[in-house]
Amino acid sequence: MLTQAERDALLAKIGELRAQHGIKPIVTCNSAWNDERWASFGLEEFPDMQTVADYTAALTALNLFRYVDSETMLGTAAA
């Protein structure tokens, strides 16, 4: 468990990584009120596949996955 200050610092680092990699957050949703598996989910737009790999490596270096379970689904815009 992280303290509120540690959680805020980690979220700030994630925001910095998004900005550094040109990742556009589209929406972040709180689903804890009706979902036992996922407390939240979000949608982000990545410039390219290399950015996905680089961002994931940066999140791993932050040890993020020690604190959260994550599932990634990649897709392209539909017409």
Side-chain angles (χ1 to χ4, degrees):
M1 297 296 278
L2 297 173
T3 66
Q4 187 63 48
E6 291 169 328
R7 191 176 6 229
D8 291 344
L10 183 58
L11 290 173
K13 288 178 186 176
I14 292 169
E16 291 170 11
L17 287 173
R18 283 179 177 156
Q20 289 171 2
H21 289 88
I23 298 165
K24 179 181 173 187
I26 306 297
V27 66
T28 301
C29 300
N30 175 355
S31 55
W33 61 275
N34 80 339
D35 190 321
E36 297 81 28
R37 181 168 181 190
W38 304 112
S40 64
F41 66 92
L43 176 64
E44 300 169 317
E45 183 179 321
F46 290 78
D48 53 45
M49 288 303 296
Q50 186 60 51
T51 301
V52 175
D54 294 344
Y55 182 63
T56 302
L59 294 177
T60 301
L62 281 179
N63 210 15
L64 177 69
F65 303 111
R66 175 181 179 197
Y67 305 107
V68 299
D69 287 323
S70 175
E71 183 174 327
T72 301
M73 292 172 265
L74 299 174
T76 57

